[in-house]
Structure formats: C-alpha cells, structure tokens
Amino acid sequence: MPTPHYGQPRYRAIADELRERIKSGAIPPGAFLPAESVLTAEFKVSRGTIRQAISALRKDGLVATEHGRGTYANAQFHAQSSHHRANPRTRQREVSADEGLAELFDVEVGAPLIEQESVVRIGKRVATVTREYRLGPASS
Amino acid sequence: MPTPHYGQPRYRAIADELRERIKSGAIPPGAFLPAESVLTAEFKVSRGTIRQAISALRKDGLVATEHGRGTYANAQFHAQSSHHRANPRTRQREVSADEGLAELFDVEVGAPLIEQESVVRIGKRVATVTREYRLGPASS
DNA sequence: AGAAATTTGTCCGTATGTATC
DNA sequence: AGATACATACGGACAAATTTC
C-alpha cells in the first residue's frame, strides 16, 4: 500500500534527520553520508525518496554529491576570505538584477533575484559556468 | 496554485519551449536535455507533466530517450535550412569576466568570456534566465 | 591491467490522494 | 464527469563514475 502522505512527507522528515546529524557533528564536515542503498534500508523507504531528501540538503548547500563516490557534508561556515578553494560546484545566492535581467523579468534594476551557479569542470579546468536566474521570493 | 489551464495545457507549453530550445540551437543535436528532475525544478511542474511534454517531442521525432542515460536532441536535418531567426530566445556575446568568473576560470578580471544567454518563458512570463560562460577565443 | 563491486544518475511504469477547471 | 495538474511514493532497470580486489 504505497503512499499515504498525511502531514509531513517522509522525504522531508528524512532530510530533517540528516540535517540534524550534520549539524550535531555526527557527520562531520567532509565526511560521507551513508550510501543511498544504506539509507533506504535504514529508513525503509525507496531510493527515490532518499534522493529527494538528499536533494533538499544539496539545495541548502549542506552537502555535495559526486557521481560514483557519494555524498558528503560540506564545511559551510567560514566560507570566505580564505586563500584556498573548497569545491562548491554549485551555489545559490541572492543577487541584484542588472540591466539586462531587469528588463527580461520586468522588474527594476537592483531587484532581488535568485542566482544558482553551477560549475562544470573537466579534469581540473573549469569548462563552463552556468548562472541561472529566477525571481526572488518577494514577487508574485 | 495548482492547475489553471487556460487555453493551453502546461505540458504543451513546455513541449513548445523545449522544441524552441532545440530549434534555436540552445540544445544542439546530440546534446542531452536536462534530466526530468532538473526540468521539474526549472519549470516548477511535476514529473508527470514533464514526461508528457517529452513524450510529445519524442512522438515528433525531435528527441530520443535512452533508458538510464537520458533524452537527447536528434540530429535533425532541419528540412530546408531556412532562415527563421524571428524570436531569438538565445543570444551570444562577449563579456568581461567579473571577479567570480575570473577566479573560477583562473583568468584575470576583465578577460574576455563568451556568454550564451537563454530565456525560458512560460506563457508570457520569464521563468528563468540562464547564462552560460566559456573561455573566449583568446585562450589556448 | 583488468574485472568486479559500489555508488550515484537517469528513466520507466505505476499508484494514491488532492485540487481545479 | 472528465481532463489537467499537483505532490508524494514505490520498485525496477540500465548507465556511468569511482573504488576495490
């Protein structure tokens, strides 16, 4: 009998649980989370649900995932003013609309937008950088 | 708010948008479309709707899907190779690297980069603007 | 060097329940 | 009632990157 989702969806509950483990230090920065297969066993949900939960954490910048390797907790505090590059392959932040974006979105210059930046590396070299813009939350 | 489908259903609007991206070259022949999960995020619709849209493109022969790999644009001998540059949703230009880009690409601030901008409209509204950066020609 | 195992990425099909036009 | 669409969830299969043997 699949899928009653009264109240809170399971993927969100799982995301909360994992977030807690990271913030509490049970999963220290840099350490890998259990594999998806392990998490499905632990929480007794399907893999898709686990992936949904992890996806939420990734969007929050809490974790990063690498194909064939795993998902690990990010060191997210003390982010800037350091001399060496961590590896944020994707990053979300709020920016002000430049002239071009303002015109496209039909907002004023300087209006808040959400920028999602992702970096594609080939080997160590950066191949492409993609910045995707959406309207900020303060818009209907 | 779920489901106002005045006039055109959303899956058809999304199919049109994707078709446009392919024909405009934003998704060149052979290139993969974003994954279903990415498209759900981009268009803010459910997976079922995305699958409906892609299914339409597949029926038109515009794209092909391979299990476990993804969906890619077909090498579509564009019929008569005519001149349809009416509504360029995508645009390419040369820009100067800002601080963030310069660091990622490991070039100086102000170095020339190629920016490819594409605009996704849902109905008349601009949903997302994507700017993709690559190194300019002046780099080997 | 090569094969196997592990792990994530992606798609397939299906299902339940809700809501709106 | 029917079509459209949402969010959630299942289980399966194949693909691809990485690690281990």
Side-chain angles (χ1 to χ4, degrees):
Chain A
M1 291 317 165
T3 321
H5 68 281
Y6 309 111
Q8 201 188 22
R10 314 187 65 173
Y11 78 88
R12 214 173 299 158
I14 293 170
D16 288 346
E17 169 61 33
L18 293 175
R19 191 178 291 112
E20 203 48 44
R21 288 191 203 176
I22 292 170
K23 291 199 173 164
S24 73
I27 302 176
F32 280 90
L33 273 63
E36 292 174 356
S37 57
V38 175
L39 292 173
T40 58
E42 186 181 325
F43 290 102
K44 297 199 169 38
V45 296
S46 73
R47 194 181 155 212
T49 303
I50 293 295
R51 287 177 61 78
Q52 223 173 333
I54 290 180
S55 172
L57 299 181
R58 203 167 26 230
K59 196 154 20 177
D60 290 352
L62 262 171
V63 302
T65 300
E66 286 178 33
H67 190 171
R69 275 174 48 86
T71 299
Y72 52 88
N74 274 330
Q76 66 248 187
F77 318 99
H78 28 268
Q80 60 258 92
S81 75
S82 212
H83 354 279
H84 63 9
R85 264 304 54 59
N87 52 339
R89 283 170 155 77
T90 111
R91 177 180 67 160
Q92 197 175 48
R93 59 174 173 169
E94 191 172 305
V95 299
S96 297
D98 66 29
E99 204 175 329
L101 291 172
E103 189 176 333
L104 286 167
F105 282 111
D106 194 22
V107 297
E108 288 130 41
V109 172
L113 296 176
I114 293 173
E115 178 193 87
Q116 171 98 40
E117 181 180 272
S118 58
V119 178
V120 175
R121 289 185 173 82
I122 294 180
K124 286 193 171 185
R125 275 225 158 38
V126 170
T128 62
V129 175
T130 303
R131 289 175 175 173
E132 186 177 313
Y133 299 90
R134 293 187 213 79
L135 284 174
S139 55
S140 52
Chain B
M1 335 67 149
T3 321
H5 67 287
Y6 307 111
Q8 207 179 208
R10 309 194 63 175
Y11 76 89
R12 215 172 301 161
I14 291 170
D16 287 345
E17 175 56 42
L18 292 175
R19 192 178 291 113
E20 202 49 43
R21 281 203 219 173
I22 291 169
K23 293 199 171 163
S24 73
I27 302 178
F32 280 91
L33 273 63
E36 292 175 353
S37 58
V38 175
L39 291 174
T40 59
E42 228 176 271
F43 290 104
K44 294 192 178 22
V45 297
S46 72
R47 185 186 158 215
T49 303
I50 293 295
R51 284 174 63 74
Q52 238 176 317
I54 289 181
S55 172
L57 299 180
R58 203 164 30 227
K59 208 170 328 191
D60 290 351
L62 260 172
V63 302
T65 301
E66 283 179 38
H67 191 172
R69 268 172 54 86
T71 298
Y72 53 86
N74 272 331
Q76 194 105 114
F77 40 94
H78 307 148
Q80 286 83 13
S81 75
S82 64
H83 40 273
H84 52 327
R85 196 68 323 116
N87 200 1
R89 287 174 154 81
T90 131
R91 171 181 73 155
Q92 201 175 54
R93 60 176 169 168
E94 192 173 307
V95 299
S96 297
D98 65 29
E99 202 176 329
L101 291 172
E103 194 170 332
L104 285 168
F105 282 109
D106 194 24
V107 297
E108 292 125 43
V109 172
L113 296 176
I114 293 174
E115 177 194 86
Q116 165 116 26
E117 181 180 271
S118 60
V119 178
V120 176
R121 288 185 175 83
I122 228 172
K124 285 192 172 183
R125 259 212 176 53
V126 170
T128 63
V129 175
T130 303
R131 289 174 174 171
E132 188 175 314
Y133 299 90
R134 294 190 199 77
L135 283 175
S139 54
S140 46

